[in-house]
Amino acid sequence: MTRRFEVGLGLQSNKRPEAYAALAKQAEQYDFDVLSVFSDLTYQPPIAALLIAAQNTSRLRLGPACLNPFTLHPVEIAGQIAALDLASHGRAYLGLARGGWLEKIGIDHARPVRALREAAEIVRLLLARDPAGYQGEVFSVAPGTTLQFAVQRSRIPLLIGTWSPKTAALAGEIADEVKIGGSANPAMVRHMRGLIDAATTRAGRSSHDVGIVVGAVTVVAEDGAAARSLARSAAAMYLDVVGRLDPTIERPPGDVTSDDVLDRFAMAGTPEQVAEQARALFDAGARRVEFGSPHGLTAEAGIRLLGERVLPRLR
């Protein structure tokens, strides 16, 4: 595997501040390419962990996966990602998605594709210090509104998280990456590639302009059975959201009891098993594979095994 492919770590934002510093240092020590922090409802806002990671690393790309414009206005999204880019000296990426579990807090996330398009356009304008303002169908920004602090880059790479054909079409038009969150299914990578390629063709872009990122619950341990048992419980939280979205599966899985279902929605087992799953995702067309929390029976042990036993099998 060459460096045009990337391997990342995805962290759940449920840790104490000092833990993010240690985990970020560990990720950079093992030569991971990207560190993402999740933005799941009721967990810590990812910007706090990402700023700590920025201060404790020098090479890793860093970003939230993903912010949504329904709980965080695009102006606030622009401010947070610009601050991260400044703190990391130009290593930030921005992840946007429609958001999950929003019905629990009474938020109507109608017209999500339009909202994502407008959010991306507002972020672009603010990073470029364009004072023209913005009048959209969902969001607006008054003329003269600009960020009141230094901006490291006028354009920050954009990732859009989705399983949806309509949002994939938007991503093919405006994004640098598309993330299929909660999937370890090579068939889904191939399906998404087809959706993106149709959109890039319509937009006059190249297929190579938009990379596919696959991220899922990951548990690696010398005791493969224990790893898979923990992965089943960790993946259950996401299966309620993404289980019904995979069109390559004949019927939505009710749970992750079977090994076949687990392997489609998590990467789990011994280092050899996890490396084999990741390699299959790269072979299917993924540009980046992101190993998500909890990583191992403990986070530190899991990241150590990923760094020492899995990464060498992929590079």
Side-chain angles (χ1 to χ4, degrees):
M1 192 178 87
T2 67
R3 277 300 176 126
R4 70 187 183 90
F5 298 105
E6 292 185 317
V7 182
L9 283 178
L11 301 181
Q12 186 55 276
S13 54
N14 59 352
K15 300 168 177 53
R16 295 188 59 80
E18 59 272 16
Y20 297 115
L23 291 171
K25 289 177 181 178
Q26 191 179 17
E28 189 155 272
Q29 171 193 340
Y30 285 124
D31 206 24
F32 286 92
D33 300 295
V34 182
L35 183 72
S36 300
V37 178
F38 304 151
S39 184
D40 293 332
L41 190 68
T42 71
Y43 286 81
Q44 297 171 29
I47 186 64
L50 288 164
L51 288 172
I52 293 171
Q55 293 174 331
N56 286 276
T57 58
S58 61
R59 183 188 54 77
L60 284 170
R61 289 205 298 127
L62 304 166
C66 292
L67 304 179
N68 80 78
F70 297 103
T71 59
L72 194 65
H73 191 280
V75 170
E76 293 293 334
I77 291 174
Q80 288 194 13
I81 204 63
L84 176 61
D85 205 46
L86 190 63
S88 64
H89 304 289
R91 292 183 283 130
Y93 80 84
L94 171 60
L96 290 178
R98 65 183 295 172
W101 304 284
L102 299 185
E103 67 282 352
K104 293 184 177 181
I105 55 174
I107 288 182
D108 178 13
H109 50 291
R111 307 183 68 194
V113 179
R114 185 71 214 175
L116 287 171
R117 178 186 291 277
E118 293 187 9
E121 290 174 353
I122 290 170
V123 170
R124 177 180 58 81
L125 287 171
L126 291 174
L127 290 176
R129 294 195 174 280
D130 187 332
Y134 185 86
Q135 185 62 53
E137 298 173 21
V138 181
F139 301 108
S140 63
V141 176
T145 304
T146 59
L147 296 178
Q148 301 299 304
F149 59 93
V151 172
Q152 180 79 23
R153 290 181 293 175
S154 60
R155 185 187 183 281
I156 292 173
L158 174 64
L159 173 148
I160 291 180
T162 189
W163 292 68
S164 158
K166 290 182 179 179
T167 308
L170 172 66
E173 182 183 341
I174 69 171
D176 301 285
E177 296 179 306
V178 173
K179 182 179 179 182
I180 315 169
S183 179
N185 184 1
M188 186 62 205
V189 176
R190 291 187 287 269
H191 176 76
M192 182 62 73
R193 184 77 266 168
L195 296 176
I196 295 169
D197 287 354
T200 56
T201 298
R202 289 193 298 269
R205 305 177 75 195
S206 165
S207 172
H208 300 294
D209 290 338
V210 185
I212 294 178
V213 181
V214 187
V217 162
T218 302
V219 184
V220 59
E222 298 287 4
D223 184 343
R228 292 178 70 80
S229 177
L230 178 57
R232 284 187 172 90
S233 61
M237 163 184 169
Y238 299 102
L239 195 67
D240 288 342
V241 175
V242 303
R244 66 185 182 276
L245 301 178
D246 191 330
T248 72
I249 299 175
E250 289 186 6
R251 14 179 222 192
D255 56 46
V256 288
T257 301
S258 75
D259 285 337
D260 179 62
V261 171
L262 180 64
D263 287 340
R264 291 173 189 250
F265 295 97
M267 291 176 278
T270 64
E272 293 76 16
Q273 288 174 300
V274 171
E276 183 178 353
Q277 281 189 274
R279 190 177 298 110
L281 293 168
F282 283 122
D283 290 343
R287 185 178 296 174
R288 170 156 55 101
V289 171
E290 188 166 271
F291 298 120
S293 294
H295 301 120
L297 302 183
T298 67
E300 293 78 5
I303 293 173
R304 177 179 57 78
L305 285 174
L306 288 168
E308 294 179 356
R309 300 275 299 281
V310 175
L311 276 181
R313 286 176 163 83
L314 299 177
R315 289 184 171 146

